[in-house]
Every structure is written in C-alpha cells, then in structure tokens.
C-alpha cells in the first residue's frame, strides 16, 4: 500500500492559517504529531519522525509559529497559542486523539498541549525537551555565522556533501560534552551507521535560524525566555522522557524536572548521549522501538 504523503489539505492553499507546505502527512495507523525544536521547521520534524513507519503511524509534521512561513499572530505567538493551533489543525485533519513526539525547544509546546487539551493527547514522548526558562547560549563569531546567517546555512549544506565527517564531528561536539576518545568513538559509530549518519547530516541542513526561520527563532527565544511554569503536574497523558547525559544544549536536569513533576512519567537516560541521543546514540534503534511502542498505545 502506498503511504499517504499529502502535504496538507486536498483543497485550498491554507490549513487553519498554515501554508500548505507547512503541514505534511504520511502513513496510516496511530496518529502522531511531531513538534520540532529551536530552530527548525516541518523539514526538521520530517527528519525527527523518519523512524516512525508509514504502515504503523499516521505522521503529521508541522512548522511551529514563525518557521518557514507559518504566521506569528500579532507579532507574537505564545506557547499556548502554539498548542491551541495544533488542536485546531487536528480538528481540520479529522484526528481525535494523537501521540506527541517533541524535541528540545518543542517540548514546552507539547507540555502545554497536553495540559490544555488532555482529551486530545493519547501519549507523550519528549526527547531532550526544555521544561523551564531558556536563553540562547553565547556563540563565537564562527558559530554565529554558521547558525544565524544565510551564507552560513549554504556553507553547512555544502560541507554536508563534501566533508560529511567534519560536519558530523562539529555537530556532535557542539551539543555535547564528549571530547577526546569519547568523541572519536561516538563520531566513528555515527559515520559507520547509515541511518544515524543521515540523521545528523540532514539535521545540520535544517538547523539555521536565518531567512525563513528567523521569525520562528525570535518567537521561540521570547517565549522560552519567559517560562515561569508549564504546569507539568497537570499532564495526564502517559509520558516517556528521553535524555542523553552528555547533552550540553538542553541540560539533563530539564528532563529530570519533568519526570519528577509529571505523574507516572518514565525517564530514560542514555549514557554518553548527546542532544541528538534519540537518533544518534549507539542504542538509538532499541530506544526508537520503545518510543514506537509508547506512541502506539
């Protein structure tokens, strides 16, 4: 059976204010909504959800507010706006209950969706997700060029094609405390595994905050920098949390905090895991199967 790869509704140019190319669907089965990190877009969400097979899951990916043409209402969309817009999207798609897969800066939106609309969330998976206030880390001029400018984005895309090993090493070192022999071993493992290698390289091509990502980046920075409480204790969906203990992009304490606050939450800590642990860890295949089972409840 051919998987459903519709980019959006079968008619019209928008879906609840979203451009057609900001929403994608594929597959049949248990519905799962994928919420990307900061920065990102529907392309990042597609990379995140690639391990969910189309014959088992109906995967819905979306650009969060400000990313890739998704509007930011009145110049600012709150985390609750993000959650409510996701539910309106589910209504238009005819989806009653959905599993949520969120990563990094998409974690707060997933938590708020689960709190505000508990009857719409069947299961929640958050990988390396923020659970408290966040501000962007200080960047060197070189890092700023790569992550915040259009030429930097073009350079990253070119490097991924002609020097993939260097891109993988730089990406992993940039989001983890791995150094020396530990970094060498991790990078070698990723490069030797086509699936893990492809994830890191594809992600590197979507993680720039310039151009069509700029409005979303600014909106996220404002929202995430003002988090007071996500009301995690009000989450009722079965929750699985994943975090690498070598993550320096979102510190593991964020998942520990969520695990303590959310009733019945399960926390899986991956030794030596980076910010990409769900996808680039040596045990990624086994962990992903655990995620599939949790979402397919």
């Amino acid at each position: 059976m051919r998987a459903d790869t519709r980019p959006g509704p079968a008619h019209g140019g928008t879906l609840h204010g979203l451009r057609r190319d900001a929403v994608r669907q594929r597959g049949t089965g248990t519905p799962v909504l994928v919420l990307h990190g900061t920065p990102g877009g529907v392309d990042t969400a597609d990379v995140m959800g690639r391990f969910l097979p189309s014959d088992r899951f109906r995967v819905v990916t979306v650009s969060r507010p400000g990313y890739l043409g998704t509007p930011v209402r009145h110049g600012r969309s709150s985390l609750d706006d993000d959650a409510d817009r996701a539910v309106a999207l589910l209504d238009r798609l005819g989806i009653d209950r959905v599993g949520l897969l969120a990563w990094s800066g998409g974690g707060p939106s997933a938590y708020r969706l689960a709190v505000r609309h508990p009857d719409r969330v069947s299961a929640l998976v958050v990988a390396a997700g923020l659970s408290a206030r966040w501000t962007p880390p200080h960047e060197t001029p070189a890092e700023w060029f790569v992550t915040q400018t259009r030429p930097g984005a073009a350079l990253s895309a070119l490097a991924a094609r002609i020097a993939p090993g260097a891109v993988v090493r730089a990406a992993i070192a940039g989001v983890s405390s791995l150094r020396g022999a530990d970094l060498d071993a991790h990078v070698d493992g990723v490069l030797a595994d086509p699936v893990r290698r492809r994830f890191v390289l594809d992600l590197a091509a979507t993680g720039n905050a310039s151009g069509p990502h700029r409005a979303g980046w600014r909106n996220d920075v404002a929202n995430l920098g003002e988090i007071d409480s996500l009301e995690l204790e009000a989450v009722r969906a079965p929750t699985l949390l994943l975090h690498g203990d070598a993550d320096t992009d979102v510190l593991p304490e964020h998942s520990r905090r969520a695990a303590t606050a959310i009733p019945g939450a399960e926390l899986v800590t991956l030794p030596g895991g980076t910010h990409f642990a769900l996808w680039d860890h040596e045990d990624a295949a086994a962990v992903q199967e655990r995620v599939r089972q949790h979402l397919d409840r």
Side-chain angles (χ1 to χ4, degrees), residues 116-134:
R116 290 173 65 81
H117 304 279
D119 57 326
R120 306 301 297 272
V121 180
S122 58
L124 174 62
V125 176
V126 180
L130 292 168
S131 64
R133 185 176 292 120
W134 174 86

Side-chain angles (χ1 to χ4, degrees), residues 26 30-37 41 44-53 57-62 64 98-111 113-114 121-129 199 238-242 278-279 287-288 290-292 294-296:
R26 65 169 174 83
T30 302
V32 175
L33 176 64
V34 182
L35 298 178
H36 64 79
T44 304
D46 286 342
V47 175
M48 289 170 55
R50 190 180 287 155
F51 72 94
L52 301 174
F57 296 97
R58 179 184 178 184
V59 180
V60 179
T61 54
V62 62
R64 295 193 294 104
V98 69
L100 293 180
L101 171 62
W103 178 43
S104 192
S109 293
Y111 290 135
L113 200 164
V121 180
S122 58
L124 174 62
V125 176
V126 180
F199 170 84
T239 300
L240 176 63
L241 306 168
L242 305 145
L278 174 56
W279 301 273
V287 176
Q288 288 170 8
R290 191 166 183 176
V291 169
R292 287 189 288 265
H294 185 83
L295 290 171
D296 197 16

Side-chain angles (χ1 to χ4, degrees), residues 127-206:
L130 292 168
S131 64
R133 185 176 292 120
W134 174 86
T135 56
H138 173 74
E139 293 182 314
T140 67
E143 290 171 336
W144 178 87
F145 174 78
V146 170
T147 63
Q148 299 287 332
T149 70
R150 286 178 181 265
L155 181 62
S156 294
L158 176 62
R161 293 194 299 271
I162 65 176
V167 171
V168 168
R169 174 175 289 273
I172 291 171
V175 296
S176 76
S177 60
L178 300 178
R179 296 295 183 269
D182 291 336
L183 177 61
D184 291 342
H186 191 92
V187 171
D188 289 346
V190 170
L191 292 175
D193 184 326
V195 175
R196 295 157 66 196
R197 179 178 184 268
R198 183 184 176 199
F199 170 84
V200 176
L201 291 175
D202 287 353
L203 188 71
T206 69

Side-chain angles (χ1 to χ4, degrees), residues 275-290:
H275 191 53
F276 312 140
L278 174 56
W279 301 273
D280 83 332
H281 194 269
E282 61 181 355
D283 295 328
V287 176
Q288 288 170 8
E289 177 55 28
R290 191 166 183 176

